[in-house]
């Protein structure tokens, strides 16, 4: 079996918790699922406890990496379109009122 990564181990979390409740050790669980690395079960449980602690304090997990540029660009385009429509509306109102 190939080397498992964090996402693959994360999927096994319910089964791992069940095996721990049944009394299995971390080494037995790692051998059963053929997990490689330095104490993978211990590290997984440590990450989960950290996530739970942060959730208790209301800290929302953020996605890693730099935020997308598109959100700012779309917002700018929306504002520009809205202002253009507003200008067109005001210009039509002034023409209808006989000012220009």
């Amino acid at each position: 079996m190939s080397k498992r990564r964090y996402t693959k181990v994360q999927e096994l979390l319910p089964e791992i918790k069940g095996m721990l409740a049944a009394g299995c050790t971390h080494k037995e669980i790692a051998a059963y699922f053929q997990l490689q690395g330095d104490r993978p079960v211990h590290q997984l449980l440590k990450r989960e406890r950290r996530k739970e602690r942060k959730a208790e304090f209301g800290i929302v997990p953020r996605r890693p990496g730099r935020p997308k540029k598109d959100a700012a660009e779309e917002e700018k385009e929306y504002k520009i379109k809205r202002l253009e429509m507003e200008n067109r509306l005001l210009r039509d109102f002034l023409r209808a009122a006989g000012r220009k």
Side-chain angles (χ1 to χ4, degrees):
M1 191 173 223
S2 66
K3 184 175 179 181
R4 293 186 183 270
R5 294 285 177 206
Y6 170 68
T7 55
K8 304 271 185 174
V9 177
Q10 186 70 28
E11 294 171 358
L12 300 173
L13 184 64
E15 295 176 43
I16 290 174
K17 285 187 176 180
M19 291 177 80
L20 285 172
C24 294
T25 64
H26 289 194
K27 282 188 179 183
E28 291 172 345
I29 294 170
Y32 178 79
F33 289 113
Q34 298 178 352
L35 301 174
Q36 298 175 353
D38 183 39
R39 302 175 358 159
V41 176
H42 173 77
Q43 297 294 335
L44 172 68
L45 296 172
K46 191 164 87 171
R47 280 192 300 267
E48 285 302 310
R49 285 191 298 269
R50 187 182 316 129
K51 285 179 189 176
E52 290 171 4
R53 248 191 341 264
K54 285 184 178 182
E56 286 176 10
F57 289 113
I59 299 173
V60 181
R62 295 187 301 165
R63 293 183 60 167
R66 189 173 177 167
K68 293 183 178 180
K69 270 176 129 179
D70 297 337
E73 288 291 324
E74 288 179 13
E75 189 175 332
K76 278 184 186 177
E77 289 177 16
Y78 172 74
K79 284 182 179 180
I80 290 171
K81 283 182 182 178
R82 199 184 79 211
L83 289 171
E84 286 175 351
M85 287 173 50
E86 189 176 329
N87 285 344
R88 198 175 320 124
L89 179 68
L90 290 172
R91 199 176 310 124
D92 290 344
F93 174 74
L94 288 175
R95 281 192 188 135
R99 286 201 151 172
K100 263 190 170 176

